[in-house]
Amino acid sequence: MIVFYLFFFLNVDVFALNITRSCDEDPSSNFCLLQKLNSLEQELKTSQSEVQTLKKTVETLQAQDTNCPTVAFRAQLTKDVNNPSAGFHFVFDDVKLNIGNGYNTHHGAFVAPVSGIYFLSFRFTISGGNSGSLIRLVMKINGELVSNTMSAYESHIVADSYTNINHLNAGDDVWIEVNENNYPFVIYGDRATVGPYSVFEGFLITC
């Protein structure tokens, strides 16, 4: 019986070897064509699986894009503000960009239309002061101070700016105001020959 099994398996191996050789010599034989057909069928199944995976990925990205709209704003100050006192709320009256209608031109505040991570920035050009002068400009979210810039002890015109990244919930208010001022500083608006001197801007990074 053992001899029979050895004979059987040895002959199976020889048969498989002969088939492989015959496919090399005659690839158009029915057996070889069937092998190719099975191989192509497997490749097709693999490709279909990959296509389905890519389709799901595209659908996920499209859904994310739909749920996360484009939000961006840029507003500039056109007129000089003379000696603003503490608590003065800036209204940037020249709106250059307001995608998503988040910036309120009447109140000077940006109201987040959707929840997400936002990049926010402001820049001011300020007149010179003296050795004891100080003005501090701050960004507030719902009344809470989140960033500030200041000009102090400078006898020449300076440009102060600040940028940050914050998570905002839909409906959160962001504005810029004077935190303190002890000198008759001038916050400059636009200059025709120079461009915007004081700007408030931002955009939604991701939902």
Side-chain angles (χ1 to χ4, degrees):
M1 181 64 71
I2 293 175
V3 174
F4 172 77
Y5 280 124
L6 287 173
F7 176 80
F8 176 77
F9 285 116
L10 286 171
N11 277 277
V12 168
D13 290 340
V14 172
F15 177 71
L17 181 61
N18 287 335
I19 289 174
T20 302
R21 288 176 177 172
S22 64
C23 284
D24 292 335
E25 296 170 358
D26 184 14
S28 62
S29 66
N30 289 339
F31 179 81
C32 296
L33 290 175
L34 183 60
Q35 274 191 325
K36 289 182 179 179
L37 182 61
N38 289 335
S39 177
L40 289 172
E41 184 179 7
Q42 187 60 42
E43 289 179 6
L44 179 60
K45 288 180 180 179
T46 301
S47 297
Q48 288 175 335
S49 177
E50 291 175 351
V51 169
Q52 289 299 319
T53 300
L54 289 172
K55 184 178 179 181
K56 289 180 180 179
T57 301
V58 170
E59 290 174 349
T60 300
L61 292 174
Q62 288 175 337
Q64 290 176 347
D65 184 61
T66 300
N67 296 330
C68 195
T70 300
V71 179
F73 74 98
R74 177 183 173 86
Q76 301 170 180
L77 201 63
T78 61
K79 299 177 181 178
D80 295 349
V81 178
N82 296 295
N83 192 22
S85 58
F88 179 85
H89 183 138
F90 289 94
V91 177
F92 299 81
D93 53 312
D94 185 14
V95 181
K96 296 298 186 182
L97 182 69
N98 198 14
I99 300 174
N101 297 315
Y103 182 74
N104 188 310
T105 56
H106 298 292
H107 302 290
F110 171 70
V111 182
V114 296
S115 298
I117 306 298
Y118 287 82
F119 173 88
L120 301 166
S121 173
F122 64 89
R123 182 178 75 251
F124 286 99
T125 301
I126 308 168
S127 64
N130 60 31
S131 60
S133 63
L134 169 68
I135 184 170
R136 190 186 305 273
L137 308 171
V138 300
M139 176 186 293
K140 288 188 174 182
I141 298 178
N142 297 330
E144 180 182 354
L145 191 154
V146 293
S147 64
N148 74 91
T149 182
M150 69 177 183
S151 178
Y153 319 131
E154 299 289 351
S155 60
H156 54 83
I157 294 175
V158 296
D160 286 338
S161 62
Y162 199 94
T163 61
N164 61 19
I165 297 175
N166 287 95
H167 179 272
L168 301 179
N169 294 315
D172 281 351
D173 293 324
V174 185
W175 68 85
I176 312 299
E177 70 175 48
V178 178
N179 183 258
E180 59 179 307
N181 182 18
N182 65 5
Y183 185 84
F185 286 102
V186 178
I187 308 298
Y188 293 112
D190 291 355
R191 293 293 185 273
T193 57
V194 179
Y197 267 4
S198 300
V199 179
F200 181 29
E201 59 192 352
F203 58 89
L204 174 65
I205 299 175
T206 182
C207 292

